[in-house]
Amino acid sequence: MSNYRIAAALLCCAPAALAQQMSGDGIKIGILTDMNGVYSAISGPGSVKSAEMAAADFMKANKEFAGKVTVMAVDHQNKPDIATSKANEMFERMDVDVIMDTVTSSCALAIAAVANQRNKLFIDTGAGTSELTNEKCNKNTFHYAYDNYMLANGTGTAITKQGAKTWYMIYPNYAFGQNLELQMRNAVEKAGGKLVAPSEATPFPNTDFSSYLLKAQSLKPQVFGTMQAGADLVNVVKQYNEFGLKKQGIALAIGLLFESDIRALGQDAYEGAIATVPWFWQLDSKASDWAHKFEKAFGKKPSFDQAAVYSAVTTYLDAVKRAKTDEPDKVIAALEGHKFSDFFAHDATIRKEDHRVILDVYQVKVKPKKEAKEDGDFYTKINTTPAKDAFTPLSESKCKMAQASR
C-alpha cells in the first residue's frame, strides 16, 4: 500500500473541551490522489504539502486546534477499484474525517459513493466530471475549484464566439474525458459552432496521438480541441507542434490546462493556446504571495489543484470550528451556503442545493516565453467569467438535492 502519514504540526495539547467534541484523536484529513502516475505533477506530493501547510496555518491561528489536525495521504493509482478500496480503508481503519483532492474523475465518482455510504465527507478539488454535483450528487460530496461544465462553458463559448466556428476534438476514454467532451461539444454548438467530424476517444494513458493529428490536418478545422490532461496533454501538444498544425492555422483549445503541463514542455510550445482556469498565481498579489510561500516549501510553484487543496482544507477546518464538532452532518450544515473569498476563490459560495462551490473563473492565453516576467509567468488573462455564470445553472441541474429545493 502506498501510504504516507504526515503529522501536519504538533504545537501543543488541545483543551479538553475541544477534544471531547472531536472524534477519535482529532481531525484527520485524507489526501487520496495520484502520487506517482500521469497526474502526480498536478496533485500528488504537492497536494500533500499544500494540505500540510493549510493545517499548520490553521492550527497556528486557532490555538484550540493545536496538535489536533493530521494529514494522511494514499495513492489511488488512477484506478477506481483501488480508489474504492482505499477510501473504505481510510474511513474505517485510518479514521479519516474527510477525503480531498482526488484527480481522476472515475476515482472521484467511486470515492463519492463510498463517502455517501459511510456518511463521511468528500471534498474534490482535482477531478473534472460535473456529475459529482449533477447526476451523481450526494449530500456528503462537495466539488471545489473547477468542473467540466465550467471548462467548456468558458473555453468553448469564448473561442467560438470569437469566430472560430469549426472544431475537431479528441478526449481520453474514461469518465473525465467523456464528460468534458460532451460539455465542450454542447458549449461549441450552443455558441454557433460545429464539429467537422465526430470527436474521437483515445486510450488512457497514451503516448502516440499521430493518427488523430493526421486526421486533423486533413479535416482542416479552425480549432483542434484536446480534452487530455497531465502527461497525456503534454504528448498531444508536443505532437501538435511536430505535425505543424499551428503553422497550418489550426488553433489549439485545451479543455484542462495545469501549470505543470506547460512547465513540462515549455511555454513556447503552448503559445497562443486558450484555456479556462479557476486560479493562476499571477492573478493578484494574494495569489502571488501564497504561490511564493508554497514554492519556498515545496521547491516548485503550485498547480491550481494544489492551491485549491489549501483553500479547501482551510474551508473545511473553518466549518468544523463553526460547527464546534467534526460530526459530518453538522459540518455539512456549516458548509452549505457558506460565502467566502481567499487567495484562491473569489466571490465564492458553496451552493446548498448541489454542493458545487461557485467562484469567479478566468479565460487565459499562454504567452510566449519572451514576455514572461519571471519563471512560471505563463498566462495573459483575456476574460473573467463571474461565479454566477461559470457553473451549471440550478435550473439545468439533475441533482436530486437541487430539484428537491426548487
Side-chain angles (χ1 to χ4, degrees), residues 130-142:
S130 51
E131 290 180 315
L132 284 169
T133 51
N134 202 341
E135 298 95 329
K136 297 182 180 179
C137 72
N138 66 63
K139 76 177 185 67
N140 296 81
T141 296
F142 294 79

Side-chain angles (χ1 to χ4, degrees), residues 244-295:
L245 269 68
K246 183 187 292 187
K247 294 179 181 178
Q248 296 168 37
I250 300 174
L252 179 63
I254 297 175
L256 175 59
L257 180 61
F258 286 94
E259 298 83 352
S260 54
D261 302 328
I262 299 174
R263 191 177 300 280
L265 200 56
Q267 71 188 86
D268 284 339
Y270 290 81
E271 180 187 349
I274 293 175
T276 297
V277 296
W279 179 87
F280 58 106
W281 72 265
Q282 311 100 315
L283 179 61
D284 55 29
S285 60
K286 288 184 178 179
S288 179
D289 288 348
W290 184 86
H292 284 108
K293 179 181 176 181
F294 178 89
E295 183 179 26

Side-chain angles (χ1 to χ4, degrees), residues 73-111:
V74 172
D75 190 352
H76 61 42
Q77 302 175 43
N78 297 310
K79 298 177 181 178
D81 57 336
I82 293 178
T84 297
S85 174
K86 296 301 182 183
N88 276 304
E89 182 179 349
M90 292 178 85
F91 285 139
E92 183 177 2
R93 291 183 52 211
M94 299 168 69
D95 200 25
V96 162
D97 294 290
V98 58
I99 289 177
M100 297 196 187
D101 194 14
T102 311
V103 289
T104 316
S105 290
S106 54
C107 292
L109 290 168
I111 295 165

Side-chain angles (χ1 to χ4, degrees), residues 6-19:
I6 305 99
L10 294 173
L11 301 181
C12 67
C13 297
L18 175 68

Side-chain angles (χ1 to χ4, degrees), residues 26-286:
I27 302 169
K28 295 181 181 178
I29 295 171
I31 304 297
L32 182 48
T33 192
D34 178 2
M35 293 298 293
N36 300 290
V38 66
Y39 295 149
S40 59
I42 61 183
S43 56
S47 289
V48 178
K49 174 56 69 175
S50 187
E52 289 178 43
M53 290 170 60
D57 288 347
F58 182 83
M59 289 189 288
K60 184 177 180 180
N62 299 274
K63 300 299 184 183
E64 68 272 27
F65 287 87
K68 301 301 294 181
V69 184
T70 303
V71 176
M72 315 172 82
V74 172
D75 190 352
H76 61 42
Q77 302 175 43
N78 297 310
K79 298 177 181 178
D81 57 336
I82 293 178
T84 297
S85 174
K86 296 301 182 183
N88 276 304
E89 182 179 349
M90 292 178 85
F91 285 139
E92 183 177 2
R93 291 183 52 211
M94 299 168 69
D95 200 25
V96 162
D97 294 290
V98 58
I99 289 177
M100 297 196 187
D101 194 14
T102 311
V103 289
T104 316
S105 290
S106 54
C107 292
L109 290 168
I111 295 165
V114 174
N116 193 45
Q117 291 165 2
R118 292 187 172 276
N119 195 31
K120 294 278 192 172
L121 267 74
F122 173 43
I123 302 177
D124 183 274
T125 60
T129 180
S130 51
E131 290 180 315
L132 284 169
T133 51
N134 202 341
E135 298 95 329
K136 297 182 180 179
C137 72
N138 66 63
K139 76 177 185 67
N140 296 81
T141 296
F142 294 79
H143 204 176
Y144 220 89
Y146 79 106
D147 65 24
N148 288 347
Y149 180 95
M150 174 215 107
L151 298 174
N153 181 56
T155 303
T157 302
I159 293 177
T160 305
K161 286 188 173 181
Q162 289 173 5
K165 301 290 187 180
T166 59
W167 290 62
Y168 169 63
M169 296 192 295
I170 63 174
Y171 63 95
N173 196 19
Y174 75 102
F176 159 76
Q178 294 159 2
N179 183 256
L180 181 53
E181 185 278 332
L182 173 63
Q183 302 283 5
M184 188 71 75
R185 175 160 40 90
N186 287 343
V188 168
E189 292 174 349
K190 187 175 180 180
K194 66 177 183 179
L195 272 63
V196 296
S199 302
E200 296 198 55
T202 69
F204 172 77
N206 192 36
T207 57
D208 184 5
F209 294 91
S210 58
S211 62
Y212 309 102
L213 293 161
L214 287 169
K215 185 169 183 178
Q217 285 181 326
S218 66
L219 291 169
K220 296 181 173 58
Q222 292 172 288
V223 184
F224 175 69
T226 174
M227 307 302 113
Q228 279 67 24
D232 275 16
L233 175 63
V234 171
N235 286 322
V236 171
V237 175
K238 181 180 180 181
Q239 292 164 42
Y240 164 87
N241 284 289
E242 290 173 349
F243 280 80
L245 269 68
K246 183 187 292 187
K247 294 179 181 178
Q248 296 168 37
I250 300 174
L252 179 63
I254 297 175
L256 175 59
L257 180 61
F258 286 94
E259 298 83 352
S260 54
D261 302 328
I262 299 174
R263 191 177 300 280
L265 200 56
Q267 71 188 86
D268 284 339
Y270 290 81
E271 180 187 349
I274 293 175
T276 297
V277 296
W279 179 87
F280 58 106
W281 72 265
Q282 311 100 315
L283 179 61
D284 55 29
S285 60
K286 288 184 178 179

